[in-house]
């Protein structure tokens, strides 16, 4: 196990992604370095009110503690009370244009005593669905995993579909992507290379979609639907998201943990889209598991 190499890769990945997003938006990201009292710290890179991004955050954290919180020991009770360290890069981008999808990426590494594992993935949350975008995003996810074995993409795609599901709404958060956790397969080098491949696939998976949709005209109807669907994003992050729960339970930095929240969201009582509308098409054609790749 080489935690120093993981740390170096994660900080490099954060820098490369932020530089690309700054070029796309034309606005620099704010840098907010922070320390955690129990141990460790991180660097939050965030932008708000940009031409392209209404809010975006790319967070690196490396934290440690004396006892793993419940969210990390549910499947490993033998590690309860053990010292630990966790590091990773997590980002969420909320574009201003409703035709540009929200996106999430996370790659992370945990270790406690002699036990270690990687986790992460990326997923796309459109407000208005485009098949070209869905196929492109999933093709990039598949290409990142295919070198490691034919079973990884279908397994991690299905895991993503299960994970990013709002049980209380009986609907998915978006069109998925890939998700994995507790990855400690073969050896450290294999698992680390796989995690790097997922992280490196993010920019080519997302930026072409952003470029295609960023100039699409929109009006108040599209904006209101975007805000309504963002409410689902908030619900998932606060109720189900493992990273959010781990961060809050482990005494993490609240501002950095909640940077994933959209700056504005809305809820409507028992709202239904008009039959035959583009809004209904999101539900009928996109918010269901499909073999996009």
């Amino acid at each position: 196990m080489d935690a120093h190499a993981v740390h170096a890769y994660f900080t490099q990945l954060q820098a490369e992604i932020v530089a690309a997003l700054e070029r796309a938006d034309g606005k620099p990201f704010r840098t907010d370095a922070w320390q955690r009292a129990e141990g460790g710290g991180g660097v939050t890179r965030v932008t708000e009110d940009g031409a392209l991004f209404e809010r975006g955050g790319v967070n690196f954290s490396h934290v440690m503690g004396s006892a793993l919180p419940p969210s990390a020991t549910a499947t490993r009770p033998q590690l309860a009370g053990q010292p630990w360290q966790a590091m990773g890069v997590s980002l969420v981008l909320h574009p201003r244009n409703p035709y540009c999808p929200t996106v999430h990426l996370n790659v992370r590494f945990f270790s406690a005593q002699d036990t270690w594992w990687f986790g992460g993935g990326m997923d796309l949350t459109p407000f208005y669905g485009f098949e070209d975008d869905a196929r492109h995003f999933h093709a990039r996810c598949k290409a990142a995993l295919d070198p490691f074995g034919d079973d990884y993409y279908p397994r991690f795609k299905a895991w993503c579909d299960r994970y990013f599901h709002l049980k209380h709404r009986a609907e998915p958060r978006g069109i998925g992507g890939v998700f994995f956790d507790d990855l400690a397969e073969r050896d450290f080098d294999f698992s680390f290379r796989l995690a790097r491949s997922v992280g490196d696939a993010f920019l080519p998976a997302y930026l072409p979609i952003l470029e295609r949709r960023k100039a699409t005209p929109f009006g108040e109807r599209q904006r209101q639907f975007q805000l309504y669907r963002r409410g689902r994003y908030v619900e998932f992050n606060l109720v189900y998201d493992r990273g959010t729960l781990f961060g809050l339970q482990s005494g993490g930095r609240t501002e950095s943990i909640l940077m994933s929240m959209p700056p504005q969201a809305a809820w409507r009582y028992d709202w239904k889209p008009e039959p035959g509308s583009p809004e209904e098409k999101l539900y009928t054609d996109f918010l269901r598991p499909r073999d996009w790749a």
Side-chain angles (χ1 to χ4, degrees):
M1 181 186 76
D2 188 352
H4 294 293
V6 179
H7 185 285
Y9 169 69
F10 284 160
T11 55
Q12 175 190 352
L13 179 66
Q14 182 194 36
E16 290 177 353
I17 290 175
V18 168
L21 297 178
E22 287 179 333
R23 289 192 296 270
D25 196 309
K27 180 179 180 180
F29 277 52
R30 171 185 172 187
T31 300
D32 185 14
W34 51 274
Q35 296 294 317
R36 180 174 172 272
E38 191 178 354
V43 178
T44 297
R45 303 295 307 275
V46 63
T47 186
E48 292 182 309
D49 297 321
L52 190 55
F53 300 115
E54 196 170 356
R55 172 182 285 172
V58 186
N59 190 51
F60 166 75
S61 63
H62 180 199
V63 297
M64 58 280 299
S66 58
L68 275 165
S71 60
T73 58
T75 59
R76 294 183 178 83
Q78 73 276 14
L79 296 180
Q82 298 298 320
W84 58 275
Q85 67 169 330
M87 65 181 89
V89 172
S90 181
L91 73 80
V92 175
L93 302 173
H94 295 287
R96 187 176 299 280
N97 191 317
Y99 289 101
C100 294
T102 288
V103 71
H104 162 253
L105 165 76
N106 176 257
V107 280
R108 57 188 179 274
F109 175 73
F110 288 83
S111 65
Q113 302 284 43
D114 295 329
T115 302
W116 56 265
W117 65 92
F118 288 91
M122 64 177 112
D123 64 286
L124 197 69
T125 305
F127 308 102
Y128 291 90
F130 295 92
E131 296 219 357
D132 288 349
D133 295 351
R135 295 190 186 283
H136 169 83
F137 189 81
H138 276 270
R140 287 293 184 172
C141 290
K142 184 175 185 297
L145 293 170
D146 279 351
F148 302 91
D150 293 341
D151 65 319
Y152 280 99
Y153 170 74
R155 181 152 55 99
F156 290 176
K157 181 211 181 286
W159 199 344
C160 187
D161 289 339
R162 292 192 304 270
Y163 179 71
F164 290 105
H165 189 83
L166 286 84
K167 298 179 181 67
H168 63 287
R169 298 284 191 183
E171 67 183 47
R173 187 172 80 171
I175 64 162
V178 291
F179 176 86
F180 62 97
D181 204 1
D182 305 314
L183 180 74
E185 298 188 3
R186 301 191 193 180
D187 54 29
F188 174 84
D189 181 64
F190 178 86
S191 297
F192 185 25
R193 285 191 293 113
L194 188 151
R196 290 200 308 268
S197 187
V198 170
D200 293 344
F202 171 74
L203 287 174
Y206 183 63
L207 285 185
I209 297 172
L210 206 60
E211 288 299 316
R212 277 201 292 266
R213 308 301 170 196
K214 67 181 184 181
T216 305
F218 68 92
E220 187 62 20
R221 172 176 176 151
Q222 291 78 27
R223 172 63 170 172
Q224 289 304 314
F225 186 60
Q226 178 193 49
L227 297 180
Y228 175 75
R229 289 301 307 172
R230 280 180 177 178
R232 298 294 203 265
Y233 211 87
V234 171
E235 291 175 20
F236 180 88
N237 280 19
L238 293 180
V239 177
Y240 301 112
D241 187 75
R242 291 183 186 178
T244 302
L245 297 176
F246 177 84
L248 295 175
Q249 290 175 359
S250 62
R253 186 170 184 267
T254 303
E255 284 297 313
S256 297
I257 296 165
L258 297 182
M259 73 173 188
S260 63
M261 296 299 156
Q264 295 185 50
W267 283 260
R268 304 183 211 170
Y269 184 79
D270 199 27
W271 181 83
K272 300 289 190 301
E274 295 178 12
S277 67
E279 293 78 15
E280 185 190 52
K281 186 177 180 181
L282 178 72
Y283 291 86
T284 58
D285 293 11
F286 291 87
L287 295 186
R288 57 184 180 87
R290 287 179 60 179
D291 183 11
W292 292 108

